[in-house]
Amino acid sequence: MNKNLIILAAKLNKFNKSYIQKKHRIVTNKTIHNSSFLFFTFFLREESFENSPYRNLLINYFKKAESYYPGSSYHVSVLICDLIFKGKLKKLERVKTERDIDFVFDYLRSVSNNQTFEFFENILQFSGADATLTCESSKNVELIVEKKCKPSFRVNLDSSFIPTFFSNQKETTKDFIVSIVDGFIERESEIFSLFELCKKEKLPAILICRGLSEDTKRNIKQIILKNKTYVYPYTINFDNNDPFLIKDIAKSCNTQIISSEYYDNIYKDLESKTNIVKITASKNLLTFHQKSEDLIEEINLQLRKENINHETKKYLQKRKRRASPNNVLIRVPNNMHNLLQELKSLIVCYNYCVLRGIYLLKDDSKLSVQCHETSTSLAKSLFKNIQKIGYTIKLNYNESV
């Protein structure tokens, strides 16, 4: 084995032990912050690796490990030492795989700061198991946890209008006139009444349809430039995997669909079938600020039917989650950066542990399945690549003759 690799493994092994013994600490506001998610942070600060020719490669692999499963860079470091010293990895002696929520909580409590875990546990009790948790930094001086129910639908703005509406902003929130056409718009004259309504109400409009002709797109842009009347055209192609998308959007904003199925005439019926709704719009997402109780009740009635097949039930559940999302926003003060990062790590770990489980080992220790598989795969790849690194020996020659 390369002598330099032996030296690297010895240094890593020493660093791993000092990390486990909690000799590396972060102190903020006279508080010592301990966590199993800080190995990579401490490694970046470690002076003994600063001039190592392996440093950049280790950083790349440790960073990749953290992106796959927070805290797994430590396990990659331990395994690479085993591979260098022994040439192989010891077989994991596991007793069983657990997904029980209490078992998951015990594991997460063991790898995180106690106060952070208690806060995380309280958030889960407040939000419920089906919630989507989002953490963000805030200028507030207090921690704020708020639950929101804002139905969102993935709908794409016609790409040729992105520079017009979203060149300088990611999203916009305002009252929109909403018109939904279950059909293809061939001529701009078909939606002329929508432009008139925009002028009358002094509001922008969102047009949802199956598509627009190139002539229609060009003429809409000319109208926008000339009259400062703004119509955002979103298109939805029919999808067999989501056949009720356009109907769910219509229900969510209490707007009637213009369709040949109902013998509608787009010239006559467009204005009467619109509605004014507060929406947050971006180039690929429409978010409503209120949910539709009628739509949720309609979906619940279908879910209560007997003998419903599995695929239909899955689709109905998807529609229900979309129509009545359980979103929880956690705002963390700027001066609590460590808390913010650890909360994000706990959320990722929790999801993986619930989905894939936790190994109970023979020595009664616990290890996440995702963490084990991630670190093992990366350690083997790192060992293979680290052996390819060579050294360039620089000799100093006397240039004088």
Side-chain angles (χ1 to χ4, degrees):
M1 181 60 67
N2 186 316
K3 179 183 176 181
N4 294 299
L5 280 180
I6 298 295
I7 293 172
L8 171 69
K11 284 184 177 180
L12 276 175
N13 195 45
K14 182 180 178 181
F15 180 70
N16 294 340
K17 287 180 179 177
S18 68
Y19 172 73
I20 285 298
Q21 292 167 0
K22 301 188 186 303
K23 292 183 179 179
H24 303 266
R25 298 178 179 181
I26 291 178
V27 180
T28 55
N29 297 325
K30 298 181 180 180
T31 301
I32 297 174
H33 189 80
N34 290 317
S35 170
S36 295
F37 302 119
L38 294 173
F39 177 84
F40 185 45
T41 300
F42 293 139
F43 176 81
L44 292 173
R45 297 177 179 182
E46 181 60 30
E47 293 181 359
S48 62
F49 295 101
E50 279 188 3
N51 297 318
S52 171
Y54 303 107
R55 176 179 168 81
N56 289 337
L57 186 62
L58 288 170
I59 287 174
N60 288 338
Y61 271 87
F62 289 166
K63 188 175 182 180
K64 189 179 291 186
E66 292 297 322
S67 69
Y68 289 160
Y69 187 90
S72 62
S73 57
Y74 164 73
H75 296 274
V76 174
S77 183
V78 170
L79 294 177
I80 192 63
C81 289
D82 287 345
L83 286 168
I84 292 172
F85 285 136
K86 303 172 185 176
K88 62 179 182 179
L89 297 177
K90 184 181 178 181
K91 186 177 180 181
L92 197 68
E93 296 183 336
R94 55 181 185 261
V95 177
K96 60 180 178 178
T97 304
E98 279 281 1
R99 291 185 180 85
D100 177 76
I101 193 65
D102 290 331
F103 199 87
V104 170
F105 278 179
D106 285 343
Y107 164 74
L108 293 177
R109 188 181 288 107
S110 71
V111 299
S112 59
N113 180 280
N114 286 335
Q115 289 182 327
T116 306
F117 178 78
E118 288 176 6
F119 181 52
F120 173 71
E121 190 175 23
N122 289 336
I123 290 170
L124 287 183
Q125 290 173 355
F126 167 72
S127 64
D130 64 336
T132 299
L133 305 182
T134 303
C135 294
E136 65 177 34
S137 185
S138 167
K139 293 180 180 179
N140 297 325
V141 295
E142 295 181 340
L143 283 165
I144 296 176
V145 180
E146 53 184 330
K147 188 179 287 190
K148 295 184 176 182
C149 183
K150 294 183 178 181
S152 295
F153 296 86
R154 295 217 162 267
V155 190
N156 293 322
L157 181 73
D158 184 276
S159 59
S160 65
F161 286 85
I162 292 175
T164 304
F165 296 117
F166 296 109
S167 60
N168 298 317
Q169 60 181 352
K170 289 185 178 180
E171 62 182 30
T172 180
T173 301
K174 57 186 71 175
D175 287 339
F176 285 95
I177 299 167
V178 181
S179 178
I180 301 176
V181 180
D182 189 5
F184 190 88
I185 308 298
E186 292 283 358
R187 296 175 296 276
E188 77 283 355
S189 59
E190 295 177 85
I191 56 170
F192 184 75
S193 57
L194 183 59
F195 287 102
E196 291 297 307
L197 189 58
C198 288
K199 286 182 184 179
K200 177 183 173 184
E201 299 291 343
K202 296 181 180 179
L203 290 173
I206 286 177
L207 170 67
I208 298 172
C209 62
R210 297 298 186 185
L212 307 98
S213 69
E214 292 302 318
D215 283 344
T216 301
K217 295 177 190 178
R218 184 170 56 253
N219 291 329
I220 288 176
K221 289 175 187 175
Q222 289 176 356
I223 294 171
I224 290 172
L225 289 172
K226 184 179 179 181
N227 301 311
K228 301 295 182 182
T229 306
Y230 302 104
V231 172
Y232 295 60
Y234 286 81
T235 57
I236 300 176
N237 295 322
F238 185 82
D239 182 359
N240 285 322
N241 294 318
D242 197 2
F244 284 87
L245 175 58
I246 204 165
K247 291 184 178 179
D248 287 353
I249 293 173
K251 280 267 188 180
S252 293
C253 59
N254 197 25
T255 302
Q256 298 180 63
I257 299 172
I258 299 170
S259 172
S260 58
E261 180 184 345
Y262 308 124
Y263 303 102
D264 292 326
N265 184 316
I266 191 169
Y267 295 98
K268 296 179 180 179
D269 300 320
L270 187 144
E271 183 175 346
S272 63
K273 292 200 169 188
T274 61
N275 191 25
I276 296 173
V277 187
K278 184 179 181 181
I279 296 175
T280 298
S282 68
K283 62 184 179 181
N284 55 16
L285 193 71
L286 294 177
T287 301
F288 300 99
H289 290 247
Q290 288 186 331
K291 63 182 178 181
S292 168
E293 297 292 349
D294 289 343
L295 174 59
I296 295 165
E297 180 58 29
E298 179 185 309
I299 296 171
N300 284 336
L301 284 172
Q302 294 178 61
L303 281 168
R304 286 195 285 266
K305 289 181 180 178
E306 294 182 5
N307 302 321
I308 185 171
N309 72 57
H310 179 66
E311 290 302 317
T312 301
K313 186 175 182 179
K314 274 180 63 178
Y315 179 54
L316 286 169
Q317 289 170 338
K318 171 187 172 180
R319 290 175 63 201
K320 183 176 179 179
R321 286 193 301 270
R322 186 168 62 191
S324 182
N326 182 8
N327 296 323
V328 174
L329 180 62
I330 307 158
R331 300 181 189 272
V332 181
N334 290 331
N335 63 351
M336 295 183 179
H337 178 74
N338 291 328
L339 173 62
L340 176 64
Q341 294 308 312
E342 189 162 25
L343 275 175
K344 288 181 177 180
S345 297
L346 275 171
I347 291 168
V348 174
C349 292
Y350 172 81
N351 288 333
Y352 275 123
C353 291
V354 169
L355 289 170
R356 304 206 59 203
I358 297 168
Y359 290 140
L360 174 63
L361 307 182
K362 278 193 174 181
D363 61 359
D364 287 333
S365 62
K366 303 176 181 69
L367 181 62
S368 158
V369 174
Q370 179 71 15
C371 179
H372 171 66
E373 293 183 358
T374 293
S375 53
T376 301
S377 174
L378 288 175
K380 288 179 179 178
S381 174
L382 173 58
F383 183 59
K384 181 179 178 181
N385 287 320
I386 210 167
Q387 295 177 86
K388 298 176 183 178
I389 294 180
Y391 284 82
T392 300
I393 300 175
K394 295 182 179 180
L395 299 177
N396 292 323
Y397 291 96
N398 191 341
E399 295 181 356
S400 62
V401 178

